[in-house]
Amino acid sequence: MRNITDILARYLSDINLPSVSIIDIIEIILITFFVYQFMVWIKFTRAYTLLKGLLVIGAFLIIAYIFKMNTILWIVSKLASALITAIVVIFQPELRKVVEQLGQKKIMASIFPFDSGKEVKERFTDKTVNELIKACFDMGEVKTGALIVIEQEIRLDEYVRTGINVDALLTSQLLINIFEHNTPLHDGAVIVRGNRIVAATCYLPLSDNMELSKQLGTRHRAGVGISEVTDSVTIIVSEETGQVSVAQNGRLLRNISSSQLREVLEKAQNKKIVDNNKLRQLLKGRVKHEEKNRK
């Protein structure tokens, strides 16, 4: 036992542990924060799917290196610079988005959490929910077809560019007027961001899901298609039956009631009350502790 202890002591004495300063600790914290933000960003964008594809390619290259597949390794080495450029081009929208988010308040608040007061965080207001429900079921009564895409975490800029910019406050009257028959903007989808209609007559990708009913037309397939590639909530009003349906996460919920639509919208609304005044909470807790000790 003593021999083992001596061997361990001799081994540990030969190990030179690096000195850790305050700057090193700050660097570790900053790197951890930015790695975490990168992982969150990847999770809520289409880059997550692309990243999985790159990981598969990386695993293939590791196997090629282990088994000495020199021809494949030579080809990759020659195409390395082109591959890096291709990755930048593929991830360009996501990279631009993450750079824009660096200046947003929610990221700065996570580093300096000393804002004052409470705030309600929500994607859109209750008034917008009411206007959407009223517009959809009013159009359903007169069998006016409609396709409304509600943006969530993943931005829909590439689909906004296919349509005509509107940038107007969302109201039921405006939605009904847009989808009215024989009007210039009625064909295509409306994209909603927050409380505003961003664009109309937008083109959406069609779903290739063979399980969808053959009775469903292009409007429903487009609604399911956009929900397969983004996290958006899409409301479809059938021109043939007047039924209201919702597409989300690649699934279609048909012939829903106004209460069901409200439930879906309130969930997408993501309303929560956040108290940002953490410093005030700490001070308040300290005062209460002091008063308790005096008693």
Side-chain angles (χ1 to χ4, degrees):
M1 186 69 182
R2 183 177 297 177
N3 292 334
I4 295 175
T5 306
D6 293 339
I7 292 171
L8 288 175
R10 232 181 291 119
Y11 178 76
L12 292 174
S13 64
D14 294 335
I15 298 175
N16 295 321
L17 295 176
S19 58
V20 179
S21 63
I22 298 296
I23 298 299
D24 296 326
I25 295 173
I26 293 174
E27 283 184 331
I28 292 170
I29 293 172
L30 289 175
I31 291 171
T32 303
F33 171 77
F34 284 114
V35 169
Y36 172 76
Q37 291 294 334
F38 176 78
M39 292 172 65
V40 171
W41 165 69
I42 284 291
K43 180 180 178 181
F44 292 106
T45 62
R46 289 186 303 160
Y48 181 66
T49 304
L50 298 174
L51 182 63
K52 289 192 292 185
L54 292 176
L55 290 176
V56 172
I57 296 174
F60 174 74
L61 292 178
I62 291 173
I63 294 172
Y65 178 79
I66 293 172
F67 291 98
K68 306 297 182 182
M69 299 178 182
N70 296 325
T71 304
I72 294 176
L73 295 175
W74 180 82
I75 294 173
V76 171
S77 65
K78 295 300 180 183
L79 297 176
S81 58
L83 289 174
I84 293 173
T85 304
I87 290 171
V88 173
V89 172
I90 291 171
F91 284 95
Q92 187 270 335
E94 285 77 15
L95 290 172
R96 180 176 178 179
K97 179 180 178 181
V98 76
V99 172
E100 290 175 351
Q101 287 179 343
L102 288 176
Q104 291 181 359
K105 181 179 178 182
K106 62 181 180 181
I107 292 182
M108 297 306 296
S110 61
I111 304 175
F112 306 104
F114 298 115
D115 288 341
S116 59
K118 295 181 179 179
E119 62 175 324
V120 178
K121 290 186 176 181
E122 57 186 7
R123 293 194 179 98
F124 42 86
T125 62
D126 293 335
K127 184 177 184 298
T128 298
V129 172
N130 295 331
E131 295 290 331
L132 282 167
I133 294 172
K134 183 177 187 306
C136 291
F137 284 91
D138 283 354
M139 287 186 287
E141 288 182 2
V142 294
K143 295 185 178 180
T144 298
L147 184 57
I148 305 169
V149 184
I150 302 169
E151 182 184 84
Q152 296 201 84
E153 292 291 336
I154 299 177
R155 290 180 68 86
L156 305 175
D157 291 335
E158 59 182 295
Y159 304 105
V160 169
R161 288 192 288 268
T162 66
I164 297 174
N165 290 332
V166 177
D167 192 23
L169 185 66
L170 189 151
T171 63
S172 58
Q173 294 91 339
L174 179 57
L175 281 173
I176 293 171
N177 189 64
I178 288 174
F179 289 110
E180 185 64 34
H181 294 288
N182 301 322
T183 56
L185 301 180
H186 86 283
D187 192 20
V190 158
I191 294 180
V192 175
R193 177 178 296 155
N195 299 306
R196 304 184 71 81
I197 297 175
V198 182
T201 70
C202 299
Y203 293 100
L204 304 180
L206 299 180
S207 174
D208 294 327
N209 188 352
M210 300 301 294
E211 295 181 0
L212 292 176
S213 173
K214 301 298 182 182
Q215 298 176 348
L216 299 177
T218 305
R219 186 176 286 113
H220 287 81
R221 288 195 170 273
V224 176
I226 189 67
S227 73
E228 290 173 343
V229 297
T230 70
D231 62 348
S232 61
V233 175
T234 305
I235 307 173
I236 308 109
V237 181
S238 173
E239 189 173 351
E240 289 75 23
T241 63
Q243 295 178 353
V244 178
S245 305
V246 170
Q248 190 174 17
N249 299 322
R251 294 188 296 271
L252 182 66
L253 184 62
R254 300 178 62 184
N255 193 21
I256 63 173
S257 63
S258 59
S259 60
Q260 289 176 308
L261 179 58
R262 181 178 297 277
E263 184 179 345
V264 171
L265 292 175
E266 286 178 349
K267 186 176 180 181
Q269 192 179 11
N270 196 28
K271 183 188 292 187
K272 54 186 176 181
I273 298 176
V274 180
D275 191 352
N276 288 326
N277 198 342
K278 297 181 181 179
L279 179 61
R280 184 176 64 184
Q281 291 177 355
L282 292 173
L283 293 175
K284 189 182 294 185
R286 183 176 178 181
V287 170
K288 288 182 179 179
H289 182 68
E290 291 177 353
E291 290 177 352
K292 185 176 180 180
N293 289 337
R294 288 173 186 172
K295 293 179 181 179

